[in-house]
Each structure stands twice: as structure tokens, then as C-alpha cells.
Amino acid sequence: MLTAHLNSLATSLFSFLMTLALVLSFVMLGSHWLRNHVLAFAAESWVIAALSASVAYYGHYKELYVIAGLTALFRGALLPYLLLRLVNRLKIDREFTPLFRPASGMVVGAVLILIAFALSSSIGDKLGITNNITLMALTAMFGLNLIGFLLMVVRSEAISHILGLLVIENGIFLGSQILVPGLPILLELVILFDLLIIVMTFGILVRYLKVHAGTTSSRDLQKLVG
Amino acid sequence: MLIVMEILWAIPILAILMSLLGSNRVRNEYVNLSSSAAVFVTALVLLVFSPNKPQSHVSGYILISPFGNWVTLCTGAVYLLASIYSTGYMRILNITGSQAAKFYGLLEGFALTMLIVPFMNNPGLYWIAIDFTTIVSAFLVGFEREAESIEASWKYLIVVSSGLSLSLLGIVLFYWAGTFHLGPVYSMTWATLHSVAGKIPASLLLTSFLLVLVGFGTKAGLAPMHTWLPDAHSEGPAPVSAMLSGALLNTAILGIVRFMDVLDGTKASIPAHLAVIVLGVFSLSIAAMFIVRQQGIKRLMAYSSIEHMGIIAIGFGFGGVLGIAGAMYQMLNHSLNKSLLFFGAGNAMRSYGSKEIDRIRRVLSFYPVTGTLWLLGAIAITGAPPFGLFQSELAILRAGIGGRNSWAVWVIGLLLIVIFIGFMNHFRSMFFGLEPTPDGSPTMQFNGWLEVPMWLSLAAILVLGLWWPSGMLHFFTEAGKGL
């Protein structure tokens, strides 16, 4: 177990990074400017890369250095670059038809984090876990998942949907760095690669949407019902 | 047997490379046809000559099991039928040159991804393989580049990807729970997960199973996560719809079934089976409601796919020799029968120039041959004898009687009757409705490519309905022991 023998510096570092990742997801919830979303996502990916690197250092998982590097490169640089290019090309600056105002969105987000915490503590009780880092990793994983889904539900722009999905994936990735750092490296590499392909596919489809359907907002995509 | 599996993968790869080389339409057609025929034969060889016990290869990454081979055979059969049909369909759509090369390349790629899925022994890699099927098929759904088809393909990609992310979460949770017993690093395979499942608290097992069920259930089109399915099935070209419905959905069911098998023998097993049955029954009721009031011909077929996935899920949920045998049999029958129906719907759509049921009238007087084939297929899909689906649905219902979840049998029976009436009512109005067609009589003539696959699938479901060789039951029994 990685979390069993950590010194207090490592513990604080891990909690700091996980908290930062959660805070960044609130930045996304609180802003309607797509550019800010992409930048917050990029920052969150860098935080996760830093987390991978520190797990590699404190847990002696050398291959996680590779994962950290690739996370920073793919999730922290390449994906945000592709998304920003998409935002610029489509000339969509902001989300026009959100279901909630930013403030209400953040309140709902906070409630979701509480739910995630309750879920994690109940799992922790079942498994007899007293370690705070493990509980926090579970909370961050579930919390980011829920916030990702919230982003997808309350926003209607196609790019917001992609970002929501990426936040969900970030959550799973963050959780797995702490919980299962020994997860086969092949799997992590393929997931990174898979994510890149998914985002490229999304990019192509969003541009088709703009050209052939004339809109990229799910509110206007109402042709197929029943 | 590993070599046969490698050949199975090599054939479509070779075909994709050839479709990249040139844009001669006829050549690409024949490359795709030979690729699909070779895949079908190889899948058959793999099924017949594989040992009865699942075997892992390549340091545990590859699993060759009877169940996987069976799903592969379904994929191979649909790929072959859809390829024959595509040849005719692309000709009447007048798609040539690089567009045709792109279509056949994507079709071969789609087949390849589906042929990889059943052999993945690592649940994580299985997840990724499923993800790749989504990516390739999203382009096929949007192939016609109309506003509706792009919308459908977008919805498909976003709904399925977010659903699948939940199953990844489930897999990670499960693996993490296993680290308490097997150490921080262990190989992630179906077998190791099964070996550790007994030591994990039942509530955590169930949580991860439900996440996996919702994730792969989204891909398999189980209600209420089915929302992408009617859109994607109705907006893609007809042969693609057949591949999506007949082949792709089975590959996603496989993941649910294997995960259910992982839980076997634990306390979470009974609620897991119940959850699968409940989702199955719910899918059937959603399908029944939408079939009765349906207006689009391909959407009608799509809801029938949701119904069949529900029945397959229920079969595996009932479990036991008969339940598993019935569900596996249902997979093949569904694959063949649904291809037949989508081909018929594609023909009707092209000749009448509409997807609306209201605009398709007096099919038999305009198209006596394809019309008859289509009508027989429709009778078969609702589970009427003497066709294959009658056999498999009967087996599944019998598996449920007297079991823990026998309530489901009565609900299914009722819903199947509703679906039969609803489905047949639409076909009655299309075939025997007396009002004239709004847009005059259709004039298009079908080429043989559009008819031959219908004959082939009808013959197959008729044979499967009338003749259940004793070897088959033995095969299903053995397959059920190690999914």
C-alpha cells in the first residue's frame, strides 16, 4: 500500500494537490467563458502530473515518472491546445444557455463533493480504512466524476460536453494514481492514447456539426426524438 | 488456436491497408467482400476447433474462450451479410472513388475493433477495445453527412463515452479493492478478479458491478441508458445499422456477462443478477412503448434491438444452463434476424424515399420478393415460430420459471405480446394498408446484392429455428462453465 507509510510532508503534498484539482473544477463550474474552462482543465492536468511524479518519488514507482511526463504533455498541453483551437475556429467564446447561474452551479458542486465524501467514508468503513489520504483520493475521484457529469448536464455547448467528459476522466486518473499506483502501465498508456483519439474525434464531429447542422448547442439539436 | 485468432485480426488489417492504397470502387468492394468471407470462415474455424475450456495466451493478455468465440462468430456473420449488402447499397447511393474507399476502410476497421473485443483478458483493455469500436462506428453513423446523421453520431459518441467512463471507474474500484489481498501490483484479468472477489466486501463488489453495468449497459443499449441507440441506428447507412445492432451490442453484453461471472459465488452475485434482470425488463417495457407508437421505420428496428438486448440480459441474469444457452442462442438469432430487417428497411427507405412508416405502403404489390423476405423477417423478430428467436426466447423463459426471479417471466411474456401486436400492426399497414402511397408508386429496382443477404439470413434463422443439433446444447453447457 502506497498510503500506509508516508511521511507528513508527502501527506500534506498529496492533500494539497488533490485539493487544488478539486478547486480547479470549481473554476470550471463558476465561469461561462470556454477559454477559462480549457485553461482550468490544463492546470488540473498539470496538478495530476505533479501528483503522479510525487507518487513516483515517495512510493518508488519509477514508471509513474513516465506517466507524469505523458500526462503533462498530452492532458496538460496537447489536449488544451486542440480544444483552444476548436474554440477559436468555432468562434464560440462563452456558454450562452447554462441551466444555472455560476453561483448556483458552485453550490450544487459543493453538495456533490459532500455526497462524494459520504460515499468515500462509507466505503472506508467497510474496508476498515483509517488513512486520510486514501479517503481523500476516493472523495476527489468521485467528486470530480460528479462535477464532470454536472458540467455535462447544465451546459449545452458541445465543447462544454467534451470538457465535462475530460473532467470525469481526470477524476478517475487522479484517483487511480493514489489508490492503485501499480495499475499496469500498459493500461495507463493506452488510456492516455485513447483519450487523445476521442478528443480528436470530438473535434472533427463538432466541426461537422457546425457545418452540417449549423449549431453546436445541444439545445438546438432537437431533430431526433421518439 | 492463437494463430487462428491472429489470422482473424490480420484479415481486416490487410483489407484496410488495401483500401488506403487506391480508390477503385469495384476493387474495394471485392477486397471488403473477401475480407468478410475470410473473417466468417476463420471465426467458424475458431469456434469449432477451440478447446472447451477458456485458455489465456501472450502472458495473460489474450483469452480464447467458447463464449468469446461465439460472439466473434455473430460478428463475423453480420460482417459478411452487411458487406454483401453494402456493395449494393453503396451502388444505389452512387458512392464511388475515395468516398467508397473511405466507407469500406471504416467498415473493415469497425469489424476489426469488434473482432478484438472478445479476446481481451484484461478488463481494462476490454474497456479500451470497446471505446475504439465507438470511435470508428461514430464516423460510420455520420457517413452521410446530413444534419441528422451528424447529430446522431455526436449524441452516440458523447452518451456512450460518458457511460463508459463509469465502467472504467468500476474497474478501478474493483482493482483497488483487490490490492488489499493480492498486493499493490497484480495482473488484472477476469480470472484474478474472480479469485479475489470472495474476499472483497459485498457492498463494494456490488458498487463496482453496478458502475460497470451502467457503463457497458449504455453501450449495449439497455434502457434507460439507450438514448443514443435509436438515433444512431436510424441515421447511419442501413448496412452500418445492421453491424451496430447485430454485432456491436453483443460485444458490450459480453463485458457485463463476464463481470457477472466474476462475482459468481460471492454474496453480491444474487443482487447483481437481479440488477441485470431489472434493467432487461425495463428495456423491454421501454421498447414496447416506443414500438407501439413508432413512426420511423429504422427507429422501429432500433427499439426492437433494445428489446432483444433486454431479453439477452435477462437470459444471462436467469443464468443456469438453459438461461445461458438461450441467451447465447438469442445473440446469434438476433444478429442474423436484425440484419435481415435492417436490409429490408434500407430497401424500403431507398425505394420509397422516406423513413416514415406512413409513406411506405403496399410493399408486396411493388416488391413481391424482397417484401416477402422482409415480412417473414418481421414475423421472426417478434419471436413467432418456426424461427430461431422463438426457440431462444422460449429457452430463456423456461430458464426463469421456478427460479428466484420467476416474476420476470410473466412480465416478459406480457411485454412480448404487446411488442408482437405493435410490430405486426406497423407491418400490416405497410403491406396490406389499402390507402395509396402519398408519393406515387416506387420505381426503383433492386440489384442482387441487396436481395442475396436477405435470403441468406432468412435461411439461417429458419434452420436455427427448426433444428437444434445436440452438439449445440453441449457447446452451450461447456461455454457456460467458463464465460
Side-chain angles (χ1 to χ4, degrees):
Chain A
M1 285 292 107
L2 162 80
T3 47
H5 350 264
L6 285 176
N7 61 33
S8 53
L9 178 65
T11 313
S12 338
L13 182 63
F14 286 178
S15 348
F16 171 67
L17 289 173
M18 284 191 272
T19 317
L20 207 57
L22 278 177
V23 168
L24 282 166
S25 67
F26 274 83
V27 173
M28 294 189 207
L29 268 179
S31 162
H32 285 161
W33 295 92
L34 289 174
R35 184 177 298 275
N36 292 356
H37 286 196
V38 178
L39 293 179
F41 167 74
E44 194 179 80
S45 305
W46 281 92
V47 169
I48 292 174
L51 191 70
S52 297
S54 28
V55 171
Y57 179 75
Y58 287 105
H60 310 289
Y61 292 98
K62 285 204 182 61
E63 64 274 11
L64 280 188
Y65 284 119
V66 181
I67 298 289
L70 289 175
T71 306
L73 182 72
F74 275 93
R75 290 180 187 238
L78 197 54
L79 293 187
Y81 165 74
L82 290 173
L83 289 170
L84 277 183
R85 209 173 60 158
L86 206 57
V87 171
N88 289 338
R89 275 197 189 175
L90 295 176
K91 300 197 172 58
I92 301 164
D93 295 333
R94 55 172 293 185
E95 177 78 44
F96 284 105
T97 49
L99 204 61
F100 293 147
R101 282 179 298 128
S104 336
M106 283 166 89
V107 173
V108 177
V111 173
L112 291 179
I113 298 283
L114 286 177
I115 293 173
F117 177 70
L119 182 62
S120 316
S121 345
S122 118
I123 291 180
D125 284 347
K126 284 275 173 349
L127 288 172
I129 295 165
T130 46
N131 187 302
N132 283 335
I133 289 294
T134 310
L135 285 186
M136 187 151 178
L138 279 173
T139 311
M141 179 161 82
F142 293 132
L144 284 178
N145 259 277
L146 292 172
I147 288 184
F149 274 109
L150 179 67
L151 280 170
M152 291 176 88
V153 171
V154 299
R155 309 262 156 109
S156 59
E157 269 304 325
I159 296 175
S160 299
H161 289 165
I162 304 178
L163 279 161
L165 190 68
L166 287 173
V167 170
I168 297 175
E169 298 259 344
N170 259 0
I172 298 174
F173 210 71
L174 179 148
S176 63
Q177 299 302 304
I178 303 273
L179 298 173
V180 283
L183 197 73
I185 183 161
L186 174 75
L187 199 61
E188 308 209 12
L189 290 177
V190 185
I191 289 178
L192 274 177
F193 174 68
D194 175 67
L195 203 63
L196 182 70
I197 305 224
I198 279 249
V199 169
M200 283 162 66
T201 314
F202 275 132
I204 296 171
L205 279 179
V206 174
R207 296 218 313 269
Y208 284 169
L209 269 182
K210 188 77 182 170
V211 174
H212 297 282
T215 174
T216 52
S217 166
S218 56
R219 252 156 244 268
D220 305 325
L221 293 173
Q222 302 284 4
K223 286 212 176 76
L224 302 170
V225 282
Chain B
M1 277 299 112
L2 188 63
I3 184 80
V4 183
M5 188 208 72
E6 283 163 355
I7 294 172
L8 191 71
W9 291 358
I11 298 163
I13 293 177
L14 208 66
I16 295 169
L17 290 178
M18 286 182 76
S19 75
L20 290 177
L21 282 178
S23 56
N24 181 332
R25 188 195 72 194
V26 177
R27 201 200 54 157
N28 280 326
E29 283 170 2
Y30 282 101
V31 165
N32 184 51
L33 282 171
S34 8
S35 149
S36 62
V39 161
F40 178 67
V41 172
T42 318
L44 210 55
V45 168
L46 192 63
L47 182 81
V48 173
F49 293 102
S50 280
N52 270 336
K53 294 242 173 326
Q55 286 179 322
S56 63
H57 301 270
V58 200
S59 22
Y61 281 110
I62 300 289
L63 177 77
I64 299 185
S65 76
F67 182 41
N69 293 343
W70 182 258
V71 173
T72 308
L73 180 72
C74 296
T75 308
V78 177
Y79 177 35
L80 176 61
L81 293 171
S83 293
I84 304 174
Y85 189 80
S86 298
T87 310
Y89 199 75
M90 289 293 127
R91 284 186 187 176
I92 57 170
L93 283 187
N94 241 336
I95 287 175
T96 51
S98 63
Q99 274 301 92
K102 203 169 128 192
F103 176 80
Y104 288 116
L106 281 170
L107 199 68
E108 288 143 8
F110 186 29
L112 174 67
T113 54
M114 289 191 293
L115 293 172
I116 290 175
V117 169
F119 299 101
M120 292 292 109
N121 196 20
N122 179 320
L125 291 180
Y126 169 82
W127 181 87
I128 287 159
I130 286 280
D131 221 23
F132 275 106
T133 62
T134 317
I135 295 167
V136 182
S137 50
F139 284 109
L140 279 171
V141 169
F143 187 77
E144 286 177 12
R145 297 281 174 85
E146 279 155 15
E148 287 91 351
S149 54
I150 298 288
E151 180 181 332
S153 115
W154 168 260
K155 249 173 126 175
Y156 171 39
L157 200 58
I158 205 89
V159 172
V160 169
S161 307
S162 44
L164 282 178
S165 69
L166 285 178
S167 41
L168 184 64
L169 183 67
I171 293 170
V172 167
L173 265 186
F174 201 119
Y175 187 84
W176 170 65
T179 57
F180 291 92
H181 303 281
L182 296 177
V185 183
Y186 64 97
S187 71
M188 185 202 271
T189 63
W190 302 106
T192 49
L193 293 189
H194 186 235
S195 69
V196 79
K199 297 170 188 151
I200 300 173
S203 57
L204 191 59
L205 278 182
L206 197 61
T207 312
S208 43
F209 175 75
L210 290 179
L211 286 169
V212 168
L213 176 63
V214 168
F216 292 139
T218 311
K219 184 77 188 186
L222 292 177
M225 295 85 70
H226 67 285
T227 47
W228 63 273
L229 193 146
D231 297 346
H233 284 41
S234 66
E235 297 309 318
V240 174
S241 313
M243 294 266 277
L244 281 172
S245 172
L248 179 70
L249 303 182
N250 285 342
T251 59
I253 289 275
L254 178 120
I256 299 175
V257 173
R258 286 207 167 137
F259 235 94
M260 205 153 63
D261 198 44
V262 161
L263 299 192
D264 246 11
T266 67
K267 273 187 202 151
S269 178
I270 291 168
H273 278 258
L274 179 66
V276 172
I277 292 174
V278 167
L279 271 193
V281 171
F282 191 62
S283 308
L284 239 85
S285 18
I286 291 284
M289 281 190 270
F290 280 87
I291 281 175
V292 170
R293 297 185 55 96
Q294 195 47 251
Q295 290 167 348
I297 185 63
K298 282 176 89 186
R299 295 183 85 84
L300 182 70
M301 309 301 161
Y303 280 104
S304 154
S305 298
I306 296 173
E307 171 215 338
H308 284 280
M309 286 305 122
I311 296 176
I312 291 171
I314 293 167
F316 284 115
F318 283 154
V321 175
L322 206 54
I324 292 173
M328 283 173 74
Y329 205 42
Q330 176 96 354
M331 279 178 157
L332 181 65
N333 287 325
H334 163 78
S335 298
L336 295 166
N337 206 332
K338 197 41 71 58
S339 306
L340 167 59
L341 279 192
F342 270 117
F343 299 156
N347 287 351
M349 219 180 87
R350 286 297 146 203
S351 46
Y352 288 86
S354 173
K355 283 178 192 160
E356 303 290 315
I357 293 176
D358 287 349
R359 292 180 173 270
I360 301 171
R361 284 294 179 264
R362 292 163 63 208
V363 177
L364 271 188
S365 38
F366 296 120
Y367 300 104
V369 182
T370 37
T372 311
L373 291 172
W374 197 29
L375 184 61
L376 288 175
I379 294 169
I381 203 85
T382 51
F387 299 99
L389 282 169
F390 173 70
Q391 290 271 9
S392 47
E393 286 176 8
L394 192 65
I396 291 171
L397 288 178
R398 277 170 60 199
I401 293 172
R404 188 185 300 276
N405 295 304
S406 50
W407 58 271
V409 176
W410 307 109
V411 186
I412 303 164
L414 186 71
L415 288 171
L416 282 178
I417 294 170
V418 173
I419 289 169
F420 178 82
I421 296 170
F423 213 87
M424 282 299 123
N425 185 39
H426 292 304
F427 271 79
R428 179 200 57 75
S429 65
M430 285 192 294
F431 280 74
F432 308 111
L434 289 178
E435 68 269 49
T437 45
D439 307 322
S441 48
T443 49
M444 203 188 80
Q445 287 306 310
F446 298 125
N447 52 43
W449 295 108
L450 298 172
E451 260 174 33
V452 170
M454 294 178 79
W455 281 108
L456 289 176
S457 32
L458 185 74
I461 50 173
L462 192 59
V463 170
L464 289 172
L466 293 174
W467 177 60
W468 197 344
S470 59
M472 195 114 97
L473 191 61
H474 177 70
F475 168 78
F476 287 143
T477 316
E478 288 300 318
K481 285 180 191 158
L483 294 165

